Amino acid sequence: MEARDALRTTGASRVFTPEPVTDDTVAAILDDARFAPSGGNRQPWRVAVVADAAQRGRIAALMRPVWEAYVGAGAGGNTPFAFGLDSDAAPVAAPNALLDDIDTVPVVLVVAADLSKVALMDGDLDRPPITGGASIYPFCWSILLAARDRGLRGVITTFLSRAEPDATELLGLPAGHALAATIFLGHPQHQATRLRRNDVASFATRDRFDGPAFGADGG
Ligand SMILES: Cc1cc2nc3c(=O)[nH]c(=O)nc-3n(C[C@H](O)[C@H](O)[C@H](O)COP(=O)(O)O)c2cc1C
């Protein structure tokens, strides 16, 4: 499909039809996604393609308390787990189709990053680093786009990162690696056609972040 259409219409899908996705298709998706950019072209990604039902169940069990803590922390309108947010909100049980039905999701990919291959440009600043993610999340996004090109949809999730200490042994995560994302893919039951996103003028400014708005309305 047209790149611009793909960029504008690849929304998150969390509910899938039972139609299976072959290993060959998953391999082809990863074969496209590997062309994603990364700092120094060091390609820090590792992927566990998790098909085993018991393994999936254990992954979902690790994710569930994170999900419930996330829902609880967001109940007051905050961004859960945001930097500087000191939330002691109680967990809230809530349905989550991905976790409740993880055994029926056609494809579950756990993506890790080899930290020895990631330059943390902002690692010494007095705030949590963010630049390291830039060497792994373009790869994750390319997985969604490559899936989309094959009629598949999915969603990037990060619940499992919060449970990384417990997930390490379960997944055989190598030392010095970080869990970046768990990606769910399949044939979607619903396809969003119009994504809700903020206008360019709401986030782009001229010359400085406190400069005049840039964009169709901002000039
Ligand atoms: C870094 C990242 C983490 C995300 N984590 C989750 C998640 O844990 N669970 C989930 O259901 N969706 C998750 N999402 C999907 C977002 O909720 C979704 O991209 C956003 O709401 C926009 O949805 P839309 O594209 O359908 O409009 C995540 C997306 C990103 C990029």
Side-chain angles (χ1 to χ4, degrees):
M1 69 185 299
E2 286 287 324
R4 201 190 299 170
D5 275 349
L7 289 171
R8 296 178 74 103
T9 63
T10 304
S13 290
R14 302 178 180 84
V15 183
F16 306 103
T17 71
E19 187 176 345
V21 177
T22 65
D23 282 356
D24 283 352
T25 298
V26 174
I29 289 168
L30 296 178
D31 194 42
D32 289 341
R34 72 192 168 93
F35 291 95
S38 58
N41 197 23
R42 282 180 284 267
Q43 306 168 49
W45 39 81
R46 293 284 307 270
V47 178
V49 182
V50 183
D52 182 76
Q55 180 76 336
R56 284 185 175 198
R58 290 188 284 265
I59 289 172
L62 289 177
M63 289 173 157
R64 187 172 304 284
V66 178
W67 163 243
E68 294 181 354
Y70 179 92
V71 174
N78 294 314
T79 298
F81 314 139
F83 175 56
L85 179 71
D86 195 10
S87 169
D88 56 359
V92 172
N96 185 307
L98 293 171
L99 307 186
D100 299 343
D101 304 322
I102 196 167
D103 51 326
T104 68
V105 177
V107 181
V108 178
L109 306 174
V110 181
V111 180
D114 179 348
L115 295 177
S116 72
K117 295 182 175 177
V118 173
L120 273 188
M121 291 301 195
D122 53 352
D124 296 332
L125 301 185
D126 191 19
R127 59 153 176 77
I130 191 169
T131 54
S135 280
I136 194 78
Y137 292 113
F139 171 74
C140 295
W141 179 232
S142 290
I143 288 175
L144 283 197
L145 292 175
R148 175 84 198 275
D149 197 49
R150 293 168 173 82
L152 303 172
R153 301 282 191 124
V155 63
I156 296 170
T157 73
T158 49
F159 316 98
L160 195 59
S161 299
R162 201 167 169 88
E164 185 179 293
D166 295 322
T168 295
E169 194 181 331
L170 174 66
L171 286 160
L173 184 70
H177 285 57
L179 289 180
T182 306
I183 300 178
F184 300 79
L185 300 174
H187 294 273
Q189 258 183 27
H190 315 286
Q191 300 197 9
T193 49
R194 287 178 65 87
L195 307 185
R196 285 187 302 118
R197 298 293 189 266
N198 298 328
D199 293 339
V200 171
S202 73
F203 61 81
T205 46
R206 288 196 182 276
D207 300 324
R208 298 167 48 95
F209 293 107
D210 57 359
F214 177 93
D217 298 326

